[in-house]
Amino acid sequence: MGGHKKQRDGFTSKLGVVAAAAGSAIGLGNIYRFPCELGENGGAAFLLVYLGIVLLLGVPVMLSELVIGRRSQRNAVGAFKKLAPKSIWPFVGYMGVLCGFLIFAFYSTVAGWTLEYIVKAVTNSFQGKDLAAIEQDFSDFHNNGWRNVIWQGVFIFLTGFVVFRGVQNGIEKYSKVLMPMLLLILIILGVRSMLLPGAKEGLLFLFHPDFSKITGEVLISALGQVFFSLSVGMGALITYGSYIKKDDNLVTTSLSVTLSDTLVAVLAGIVIFPAAFSFGIQPSSGMGLVFNTLPMIFNQMTGGYFFCIIFFVLLAIAALTSTISLLEVAVAYLSEELHLKRQTATVLACIATMLLGTYSSLSLKQGSPFYIAGMSCFDLLDFVTSKVLLPLGGLFIVIFVGWKLGKTKFFDEITNEGTIKASSKKVLLFIIRFVAPLAIALIFVSGFIK
Ligand code: PFF
């Protein structure tokens, strides 16, 4: 390793870095998965735990990943090989590559739905329908397994297309303009949702916590959701970190990305729950929650037809900037460590994802045989990644930065070799060394004790 110097791709501007990392973070995790998890795990109590974990664990893990990436200038596996040669640490990177692949396989199922819903929006197929009809449409779509698979394939292809062309031409350009647009439309929808009759119940559900609802299961669900939403715990931000220039400020980058990601998630909650309560949709109704509530909101809005199209297009793009980062983890690994051509690596990774992804999509059909251990393949992939691999990955990453990389290199990296101030550096190190590993380990264990 090491000897050869090949020109590495990289991000060109500071805004580009934040935009690309925020593009990775903001996606279906915020708008689809967050409301589902919150609805199934006690509402406001979950939100409270979620916000606590974002601050205490999300920021330090994200910072640690960026530090590992920029310091090493390598992919998720190569980074550990370079920073801790001849050790078992690269194992954390391999786990990350695997986790990214597994997430991409089921994430692309839901990403495919956004394309189906763009078509539904354009063809005005929600108009005048009541809740029962909209719910029926959603379940019909699910039971048409191959239709899911085709949309998923289209989505994987789109992701591959962007990654194929490399980081600078692809990732940065798409993220910069579209994320702020998504934020704007969420605000408009949030206002509309809160003005619906009976919306107050939904706001109470979201913001009035019942502390007795906090259980080990809620804690691990919140931890998994935080890591999933911030794209941490699997090396995506190690990979992106390796494209960041030496004079970018990693602490402020972590803070801005975390803040925007969390804002979008909370806004999604403000859009979904008041409306769901108003229409009589159960907060714990899982998959249908978001995909049924949204068309109902658009049906009640002036200009709903256009808002609906714009919204699903933006949602698809938000998903795309996330799948790009998922695929990039595998592609950077395959091309740098196994010396495959970037293009070959992209094609191979996409084919592999499509194979597993097909299982995931077909497993959602009623009576599907693709059940493993009582769970659909889709649910199993979601469970293993968010509740097992991401927490473990996050745990190893903070331990690595806190104890193996060590204080001096960590400070060097966050102060850009002493050229900028990082007044919180001691607190951050303390959290990364002691608080984060302990907290993650405790939550992980508590989640599995019934
Ligand atoms: N953070 C993305 C979302 O919330 O939609 C999903 C994701 C992307 C998870 C990239 C992990 C990752 F590495």
Side-chain angles (χ1 to χ4, degrees), residues 125-137:
S125 82
F126 304 119
Q127 231 237 327
K129 285 189 178 160
D130 61 2
L131 181 63
I134 284 178
E135 285 178 337
Q136 188 60 42
D137 279 358

Side-chain angles (χ1 to χ4, degrees), residues 23-30 100 103 107 225 227-232 234-237 261 318-319 322-323 325-326 329 390:
S24 166
I26 298 169
L28 298 169
N30 308 60
I103 293 182
Y107 195 91
Q225 176 58 25
F227 284 6
F228 188 90
S229 189
L230 294 176
S231 301
V232 300
M234 50 151 280
L237 295 183
D261 185 73
S322 300
T323 50
S325 70
L326 286 166
V329 174
L390 292 181

Side-chain angles (χ1 to χ4, degrees), residues 235-246:
L237 295 183
I238 294 182
T239 312
Y240 274 21
S242 75
Y243 304 133
I244 297 182
K245 288 210 304 269
K246 289 288 178 197

